[in-house]
Amino acid sequence: MGGREKITPFFDSISDKSIRFTNAFSTGFRTDQGLMSVLSGIPSVASLNMPNQLDKVMKYPSIVQDFKNAGYKTSFVYGGDLNFSNLYNYLTIAGFDTIIRDKSFASADDITDWGVPDHIMIQKAKDISNQLKEPFFSTILLMSSHAPFDIPVPNEFSGKPDTPSKYKASVKYSDHALQMYFDSVKSQSWFANTVFILTSDHGSTHSGYAVMDDHDRFRIPFIIYDPGNNLRRQNDIVYTSFNHYDIPYTLAYASGFEAGKFIFGRNILCADSTRYAYWNTDNVAAYYSLQSGEVVPSSQKNNRATLFTDLVRK
């Protein structure tokens, strides 16, 4: 949102028309952790791959299931391999009616090491939404900004040998794909009735601005774009600190669902300056609050799994 090198001009432009959150944090540093937080309200746990815990996956709450129970058609669209980290099984159990992955595309579309590039995947996402009967709940996961940053459409950052340039080229390409998506759906009948939540599943060390255990890497972009003003709020800036795992609680609360099952969650649409945001790697953990304005680190000296969050209720 207005980064130093203007790598995401479309995202920046749509952010100016959105509710913007300036203190959003991921709790983990992998995609599986991000999905678990966004859809089930589960914080990341050091040294533990949550979707692979087969005895627990059946028990996780799911905002997807809430919308499905309310009569929404549900879809998940991705261009890569969902066998990674047991994600396909998790997404099925979470309640998605339609799951699109690399096997759903023509073999000619699978042209990068990681799978189907974003600009092709995003067109599939539009087609899926057009096929679903309203109301619908859809999750779209872009992937081209993942190493090895293999993109089919070059830009001014392409062709340089250093990792930060390759990463920035891939992010700018993904921003281009995002613009293609919105350009193609803004004429659809469901567009003005849709609330779009845009965020990243985790931060990155590849930009050159943060190293592996640097807490700056956990601050992520997060906006709510509401073209039809369904929420009756536009161009707001929310400064409250929060995490990914607060998202399903907020969606459930705002939609009239039972939010209490998301036991770690909090409502992100508030002005609580004392609230903490938390994150961890397998080596370090820390928290941040707007009130203190500083990051407070907490070293983890053992290899046991550690859940690092606040106790929001007994």
Side-chain angles (χ1 to χ4, degrees), residues 94 107 295:
S107 57
V295 170

Side-chain angles (χ1 to χ4, degrees), residues 37-240:
S37 289
V38 169
L39 299 176
S40 292
I42 305 293
S44 64
V45 179
S47 306
L48 191 63
N49 187 311
M50 297 296 278
N52 273 339
Q53 308 303 306
L54 300 180
D55 59 326
K56 298 179 177 63
V57 167
M58 296 291 292
K59 303 175 184 177
Y60 293 148
S62 169
I63 190 61
V64 186
Q65 192 65 53
D66 284 345
F67 279 105
K68 185 174 181 177
N69 293 342
Y72 284 65
K73 298 299 181 182
T74 59
S75 65
F76 184 92
V77 186
Y78 179 55
D81 181 7
L82 286 177
N83 289 321
F84 166 74
S85 189
N86 195 43
L87 285 178
Y88 185 81
N89 288 335
Y90 163 68
L91 295 170
T92 300
I93 294 169
F96 283 108
D97 299 312
T98 301
I99 299 177
I100 301 297
R101 49 181 171 162
D102 53 355
K103 296 179 180 179
S104 309
F105 295 83
S107 57
D109 292 335
D110 192 0
I111 58 176
T112 73
D113 288 345
W114 204 248
V116 178
D118 289 344
H119 81 280
I120 297 176
M121 182 277 295
I122 217 76
Q123 292 303 311
K124 173 78 80 172
K126 180 204 73 171
D127 294 341
I128 293 297
S129 294
N130 284 338
Q131 294 167 14
L132 295 176
K133 184 179 179 180
E134 294 182 55
F136 60 79
F137 176 89
S138 185
T139 302
I140 304 169
L141 177 61
L142 282 73
M143 66 156 201
S144 294
S145 58
H146 193 287
F149 315 120
D150 184 11
I151 59 173
V153 181
N155 53 56
E156 65 266 35
F157 295 99
S158 303
K160 300 177 183 178
D162 61 293
T163 297
S165 293
K166 292 178 181 179
Y167 172 69
K168 292 168 190 175
S170 70
V171 173
K172 184 146 194 177
Y173 161 73
S174 290
D175 185 67
H176 169 67
L178 199 64
Q179 182 173 7
M180 289 178 61
Y181 173 77
F182 279 97
D183 284 347
S184 65
V185 302
K186 63 185 179 183
S187 61
Q188 303 301 317
S189 60
W190 48 264
F191 178 71
N193 300 326
T194 305
V195 176
F196 299 88
I197 297 176
L198 289 83
T199 188
S200 59
D201 51 347
H202 58 81
S204 174
T205 61
H206 299 295
S207 66
Y209 294 137
V211 296
M212 181 62 71
D213 292 333
D214 189 335
H215 302 299
D216 287 339
R217 68 179 293 206
F218 293 92
R219 187 186 294 271
I220 54 171
F222 187 96
I223 64 172
I224 298 178
Y225 175 50
D226 179 19
N229 198 19
N230 301 283
L231 303 179
R232 303 295 184 265
R233 303 172 55 142
Q234 283 190 325
N235 303 322
D236 286 356
I237 299 178
V238 179
Y239 299 100
T240 304

Side-chain angles (χ1 to χ4, degrees), residues 255-272:
S255 303
F257 307 145
E258 196 282 307
K261 61 181 172 294
F262 300 108
I263 61 173
F264 302 107
R266 305 158 296 185
N267 186 0
I268 68 175
L269 293 169
C270 73
D272 183 0

Side-chain angles (χ1 to χ4, degrees), residues 281-298:
T281 69
D282 292 343
N283 301 307
V284 297
Y287 60 90
Y288 171 88
S289 76
L290 180 65
Q291 192 173 51
S292 67
E294 61 183 17
V295 170
V296 180
S298 173

